Amino acid sequence: MYQLLDPSRFVVFITGATSGFGAAAARRYVAAGAKVIATGRRQDRLVELQEELGKENCHIIALDVRDRAAVEQAIADIPAPFDAINIVLANAGLALGLQPAAEASLDDWQTMIDTNVSGLVYTVRLLLPGLIARGGGHVVTLGSVAGEYAYPGGSVYAATKAFVKHFALAIRSDLQGKNVRVTDIEPGLTETEFSLVRFKGDADKAGNVYSGTKAMTAEDIAESIFWATSLPEHVNVNKIQLMATTQAIGAFDIFRG
């Protein structure tokens, strides 16, 4: 019999838990008996999530992962039993804009770098010592198919997700012998608030991304995260790359003048 890990023993720290993958993952873990620390910038949504999942199962922290000092303080202040973290889901991230590089907003680029790269690095680095001290655990990073297959208008977003992929692969080597697993989740077309954020609230533009197709859902991605972390401790899934059945890798972009 293949022995899966007992999710009722999981204590999961999730960034970006106010919507999308993070919120779906929080629900999936709590449904399995785990405890969750849900963090994000929108306090009202965190409160709603905690009311849904129960205070005994879900501890919430209003947190902007770009603020290193705030991340340090938030981790230091987590009360028992939520402080016994053994799974880190570094999910917070975003895309902004889809303009060609010469026209893109430098502010948007900086926000993506600060969130997708710096925020992730702060989260993982500050939680790793605790995982190691407690005998092991699992780090899950949220990459993207864009980290492997870049597309027009996605230059900096794709670059940040390439960073996530290689960061996850590299720290796997750093963690040899520490009983800490690392998995990068790389989703493709998924209907969440992602496009609404990318187009800064323009619902028409966001809707066009998913029009006429069947995208994946946040719950689909949460299930893959849950599966990877539930496997026996001697099994490490390096990465999971998922695309909707209606999405495939496109042809090379060739300019013909």
Side-chain angles (χ1 to χ4, degrees), residues 21 26 48 54 60 66 73 76 85 103 144-145 148 164 176 179:
F21 305 149
E48 290 174 3
I60 59 174
R66 296 174 296 179
Q73 192 61 56
I85 297 162
E103 302 168 19
S144 167
V145 294
E148 190 156 346
V164 173
Q176 284 283 51
N179 197 35

Side-chain angles (χ1 to χ4, degrees), residues 21-96:
F21 305 149
R27 294 185 178 102
R28 181 65 180 91
Y29 278 111
V30 169
K35 294 192 181 299
V36 165
I37 303 102
T39 76
R41 290 182 296 119
R42 292 173 285 189
Q43 174 74 20
D44 57 336
R45 291 203 180 185
L46 290 173
V47 170
E48 290 174 3
L49 185 65
Q50 186 181 55
E51 289 174 349
E52 174 189 341
L53 301 180
K55 289 185 177 181
E56 70 279 10
N57 304 314
C58 179
H59 178 70
I60 59 174
I61 306 171
L63 179 64
D64 185 338
V65 294
R66 296 174 296 179
D67 185 337
R68 174 177 165 183
V71 177
E72 289 182 285
Q73 192 61 56
I75 292 169
D77 290 344
I78 296 172
F82 292 97
D83 58 344
I85 297 162
N86 51 21
I87 298 177
V88 177
L89 174 51
N91 164 73
L94 79 168
L96 291 173

Side-chain angles (χ1 to χ4, degrees), residues 90-171:
N91 164 73
L94 79 168
L96 291 173
L98 202 57
Q99 299 89 349
E103 302 168 19
S105 163
L106 275 173
D107 288 339
D108 286 351
W109 281 7
Q110 191 65 58
T111 298
M112 286 187 280
I113 293 166
D114 290 345
T115 307
N116 301 358
V117 175
S118 297
L120 175 134
V121 167
Y122 300 156
T123 301
V124 174
R125 170 60 182 84
L126 292 169
L127 286 165
L128 270 178
L131 265 63
I132 294 168
R134 286 185 289 275
H138 204 139
V139 174
V140 180
T141 56
L142 240 299
S144 167
V145 294
E148 190 156 346
Y149 311 109
Y151 53 83
S155 53
V156 168
Y157 175 71
T160 65
K161 292 305 182 178
F163 175 91
V164 173
K165 174 177 65 177
H166 287 287
F167 178 72
L169 291 172
I171 65 172

Side-chain angles (χ1 to χ4, degrees), residues 167-188:
F167 178 72
L169 291 172
I171 65 172
R172 271 219 66 210
S173 292
D174 294 341
L175 293 166
Q176 284 283 51
K178 305 298 184 183
N179 197 35
V180 177
R181 300 184 292 174
V182 185
T183 301
D184 188 39
I185 306 292
E186 302 175 2

